[in-house]
Amino acid sequence: MLRWLAKRIIAAALVVFVVTSLVFVVTHVFTDPATVSLPLEASQEDRASRRAALGLDRPLSVQYWDFLSGLVVGDLGESFFQTQPASKLVFERLPATLRLVAGATAVTVLMGAPMGMLAAWWERRFADHAVLGFSMASISAPPFWIGYLLIIVIAAQLRWVPTFGSSGFKSLILPSFAIGLASAGRLAQMTRRGIVEELRKPYAVTAMSRGFSRSYTIVHHTFRNVASGFVTMTGWEVTRMFTGYTVVIEVVFSWPGVGRLAVDAIFDRDLILVQAAVVVLATMVVLTNLLVDIARRLIDPRVDLA
Amino acid sequence: MSATGGDGRTERLLEVKDLTVGFPTRDGTVLGVDGLTLNVGSHERLGVVGESGSGKSVMGLAILGMVLPPGRIMGGSVRWKGENVLDEAVANRVRGREIAMIFQDPMVSLNPLKTVGAQLRELLQRRVGLQGRAIKQRSLELLDMVGIANPGDRLKSYAFELSGGMRQRVMIATALACDPTLLIADEPTTGLDVTIQDQILTLLHNLSTELGVSVLMITHDLGVVAQFCDRVQVMYAGRIVERAPIAQMFADPQHPYSGGLLRSVPRVDRAATELAGIPGEPLDRAQFPPGCAFEPRCGEAHDTCRGAPPPLVKIAERRWVACYNRPGEAGETST
């Protein structure tokens, strides 16, 4: 187990290295931070002097080595627009994004799992149809629209929670639901299908033929077999939160997270800062996948030990 | 008719009468089991033999009152020591404790994420009511009984860590956990090596003798029947077409289908050239002929056969056959 864990961690670090290198290639080979920061009609001289100022006139290999050695100590360069270390700006914002992802994941799991279980328990009955209807609706609605709706109805009209910002737990509720509802809908459907399928499998039929009730068989036999898929799917949802949903929802709710920082940096033509945000978010994705791997290994002894 | 051997030693345990299981399809309801009648006595080993799609596996679960959706039991009765198993309360008591089933593929019939010990423990705890040390003791005893070496280590194993033969032994151990009186074995040796097949059959045979457990052996393999059973019923298209003691069935099959089955089995004492198949294909269950289901493939069919399905009639002591060409003794019918 420890050997396996060490291998997984090394593999994850390797993925982070490859992903960040790709980010570097995009931001330094296809274009460069100096060019992006200047207007399109800027003269060659302007570009050359800006490149020299940012050290972009040095050989690419030197710049790459700088980038990598910086990465190791957490230095992601200087934000051109805000003239502050990019890593400082990103890490200041990271806790807010992590809070949001945690809240949205809580909504996803705490709604998705029970709904899927209810639907499977009362297969083809009212609860099943109700869950299906809810998940179809939540999956079809774009998160920014759900967020907008929640702001209008619950925050502005009913005034139960603040309309924007991140002041305390209350302000976390709406954006978490805005992101989590669709994920919960997908997870509920997956859970329901998983349990229903497992119940038809020979081992479940065998359990019932030994006199165990359907409910006992669902709880004691199918849950664990569904858990692995459940964890994997939750991991995908969390991944999508880091790379997409939080970006949109942080803008809608004026949430001071990494996603909004990245959007602002794009409008400011601040490529170094964008790059820093991408590197950090990608690292979060890799960490999520690592956690999923570990969880699956704990659930299912058959998961590859290699 | 006497329950089984007629030697007075046996009592009738399982009585299945006119059991019918239907599956809704686009073309109407297909009968997986059609008016099945069978009896199993104590200390008896009954074989039910038929080709794929003859309704054998559906039958095994239906006897326990279980049908996978969307199928359902449409008629007939299943009685265990006189009690109605199709009543859910009775079924809950009988399942596992009185009648236990062994399935074809032990790889998928054991829970992949529970250790052997955990699967035995839940049965012993919840279905037998053992506690504490007694559970472990009984688990070791059960594994030892089915011929598993180092039972202590094996308790910690998962199904995927065991060989096919071992898995089936574990399966048998879980079936025996609650001291059942009848084992229903659904193709228990299919998919195993020939040598392992033989070991499993021998094990089942010895266990049934030592523990006094009756066995209902569901199989497509006449060799298994010959080696294992006292009595055999041949099933075709969800119906019993012939019922006979084992020696008589092999010496003198009465139904044309039974005869065909026997001739299609390779035997070491006959030249390979004598091996004969049965012409035609097994029936598409959605297209039942109105008469005898075997009529389209039968060499002896005539007009009467296309009218209505022939009833199962007694043609001699302990011999029953459903064929218009084998008229039975008056008044002795059992569909």
Side-chain angles (χ1 to χ4, degrees):
Chain A
M1 178 74 188
L2 277 178
R3 259 180 75 88
W4 175 85
L5 192 60
K7 277 186 185 173
R8 297 306 310 167
I9 292 172
I10 292 169
L14 218 65
V15 172
V16 170
F17 168 73
V18 171
V19 169
T20 50
S21 298
L22 278 175
V23 172
F24 177 85
V25 167
V26 171
T27 53
H28 287 79
V29 177
F30 296 151
T31 179
D32 67 71
T35 311
V36 170
S37 69
L38 290 166
L40 280 176
E41 62 275 13
S43 66
Q44 283 298 335
E45 292 75 35
D46 285 349
R47 288 182 198 200
S49 65
R50 172 89 34 110
R51 263 198 214 107
L54 293 176
L56 298 171
D57 52 348
R58 297 172 299 159
L60 215 53
S61 56
V62 174
Q63 293 183 48
Y64 182 55
W65 178 249
D66 262 14
F67 171 75
L68 283 186
S69 44
L71 206 59
V72 175
V73 295
D75 177 7
L76 295 168
E78 178 131 327
S79 161
F80 179 76
F81 189 77
Q82 306 200 32
T83 58
Q84 286 194 57
S87 56
K88 175 170 169 278
L89 291 169
V90 173
F91 284 120
E92 269 171 11
R93 299 289 197 99
L94 188 59
T97 293
L98 289 180
R99 268 205 307 281
L100 183 54
V101 169
T105 307
V107 170
T108 303
V109 171
L110 295 180
M111 281 187 74
M115 286 198 307
M117 288 174 193
L118 281 182
W121 199 284
W122 281 291
E123 192 191 343
R124 285 170 221 239
R125 308 266 282 281
F126 174 74
D128 191 7
H129 299 306
V131 166
L132 180 69
F134 173 83
S135 13
M136 290 310 288
S138 71
I139 293 168
S140 320
F144 69 83
W145 187 73
I146 297 181
Y148 194 48
L149 216 64
L150 290 174
I151 291 176
I152 291 172
V153 177
I154 294 182
Q157 297 284 327
L158 300 171
R159 296 186 179 277
W160 287 348
V161 289
T163 48
F164 65 87
S166 72
S167 47
F169 178 74
K170 260 189 163 179
S171 57
L172 182 61
I173 296 174
L174 290 193
S176 296
F177 272 92
I179 296 174
L181 282 181
S183 300
R186 277 188 291 269
L187 208 61
Q189 290 196 2
M190 177 263 155
T191 305
R192 182 232 180 243
R193 194 168 354 110
I195 294 174
V196 168
E197 272 170 17
E198 292 296 321
L199 262 184
R200 309 255 190 289
K201 285 194 179 167
Y203 76 86
V205 173
T206 304
M208 288 187 272
S209 85
R210 299 271 187 270
F212 291 121
S213 64
R214 182 172 179 274
S215 8
Y216 178 91
T217 307
I218 289 180
V219 174
H220 290 88
H221 284 266
T222 66
F223 275 4
R224 207 163 161 205
N225 282 282
V226 174
S228 188
F230 183 88
V231 166
T232 305
M233 180 112 179
T234 307
W236 288 348
E237 294 295 341
V238 172
T239 302
R240 289 157 82 168
M241 288 174 197
F242 276 120
T243 57
Y245 302 146
T246 53
V247 178
V248 176
I249 290 302
E250 282 176 11
V251 171
V252 172
F253 282 89
S254 306
W255 189 267
V258 180
R260 219 182 90 208
L261 182 73
V263 172
D264 288 345
I266 289 170
F267 286 126
D268 293 340
R269 300 162 167 269
D270 194 345
L271 196 54
I272 295 284
L273 189 52
V274 173
Q275 172 185 290
V278 171
V279 164
V280 169
L281 289 177
T283 306
M284 293 299 129
V285 168
V286 173
L287 280 179
T288 305
N289 287 336
L290 179 64
L291 286 178
V292 167
D293 276 354
I294 294 170
R296 286 186 52 214
R297 175 70 185 79
L298 291 175
I299 294 167
D300 190 338
R302 291 168 299 178
V303 167
D304 197 2
L305 279 164
Chain B
M1 156 182 165
S2 71
T4 55
D7 54 10
R9 187 171 65 93
T10 59
E11 59 168 319
R12 196 174 274 196
L13 295 173
L14 178 73
E15 294 169 274
V16 179
K17 201 160 166 31
D18 293 330
L19 186 64
T20 301
V21 180
F23 294 86
T25 69
R26 269 180 310 174
D27 310 320
T29 302
V30 171
L31 299 182
V33 173
D34 183 5
L36 173 85
T37 294
L38 63 80
N39 301 301
V40 183
S42 57
H43 308 283
E44 186 185 28
R45 287 182 281 263
L46 172 67
V48 172
V49 64
E51 56 199 290
S52 318
S54 61
K56 296 168 304 184
S57 296
V58 176
M59 177 191 90
L61 281 172
I63 288 173
L64 289 168
M66 293 170 64
V67 179
L68 289 182
R72 62 189 187 89
I73 294 174
M74 300 175 67
S77 66
V78 179
R79 298 203 159 264
W80 174 256
K81 294 177 178 169
E83 284 189 290
N84 179 14
V85 181
L86 300 184
D87 179 291
E88 197 59 21
V90 176
N92 283 337
R93 196 148 30 81
V94 167
R95 282 180 202 153
R97 285 207 280 244
E98 301 272 5
I99 308 175
M101 204 161 161
I102 300 167
F103 295 86
Q104 175 170 348
D105 189 344
M107 179 71 216
V108 292
S109 299
L110 294 167
N111 189 324
L113 298 184
K114 285 191 180 220
T115 59
V116 170
Q119 299 189 50
L120 285 171
R121 193 187 319 121
E122 72 174 353
L123 282 163
L124 295 171
Q125 210 165 29
R126 296 183 172 266
R127 298 295 291 166
V128 186
L130 293 187
Q131 286 183 345
R133 285 179 55 82
I135 294 175
K136 173 129 195 223
Q137 213 164 20
R138 176 70 173 147
S139 300
L140 293 173
E141 190 184 304
L142 283 164
L143 290 186
D144 187 55
M145 212 152 82
V146 296
I148 286 180
N150 305 323
D153 295 339
R154 288 286 84 91
L155 283 180
K156 298 183 205 99
S157 301
Y158 291 92
F160 75 96
E161 296 170 320
L162 305 175
S163 67
M166 285 251 257
R167 278 180 213 134
Q168 194 55 288
R169 285 173 195 271
V170 170
M171 187 65 175
I172 295 169
T174 65
L176 294 175
C178 314
D179 278 319
T181 316
L182 170 67
L183 276 183
I184 300 178
D186 181 2
E187 302 272 9
T189 58
T190 306
L192 298 175
D193 291 347
V194 183
T195 47
I196 308 293
Q197 276 190 21
D198 192 63
Q199 286 175 16
I200 295 290
L201 277 186
T202 308
L203 172 70
L204 278 174
H205 198 280
N206 293 344
L207 286 172
S208 79
T209 309
E210 285 161 23
L211 305 172
V213 178
S214 300
V215 181
L216 176 59
M217 174 70 70
I218 303 173
T219 178
H220 70 281
D221 187 341
L222 279 170
V224 169
V225 171
Q227 184 182 348
F228 190 83
C229 301
D230 317 318
R231 205 158 59 96
V232 59
Q233 300 201 144
V234 178
M235 221 174 161
Y236 187 75
R239 296 174 70 96
I240 298 292
V241 295
E242 184 163 1
R243 175 192 293 163
I246 202 78
Q248 294 179 35
M249 176 65 82
F250 279 83
D252 180 25
Q254 287 297 307
H255 196 279
Y257 176 66
S258 319
L261 265 189
L262 283 171
R263 278 190 300 278
S264 65
V265 176
R267 281 172 52 169
V268 283
D269 57 349
R270 275 190 300 186
T273 47
E274 291 176 49
L275 195 61
I278 301 174
E281 290 292 315
L283 273 188
D284 177 356
R285 307 302 299 282
Q287 296 164 349
F288 258 38
C292 173
F294 190 60
E295 176 268 325
R297 300 170 73 183
C298 181
E300 306 171 37
H302 45 78
D303 282 348
T304 324
C305 306
R306 297 186 227 344
L312 189 63
V313 297
K314 188 173 184 178
I315 56 163
E317 188 54 35
R318 304 183 68 208
R319 298 217 59 179
W320 300 69
V321 66
C323 179
Y324 286 119
N325 291 329
R326 309 284 187 275
E329 297 166 13
E332 294 265 24
T333 61
S334 149
T335 37

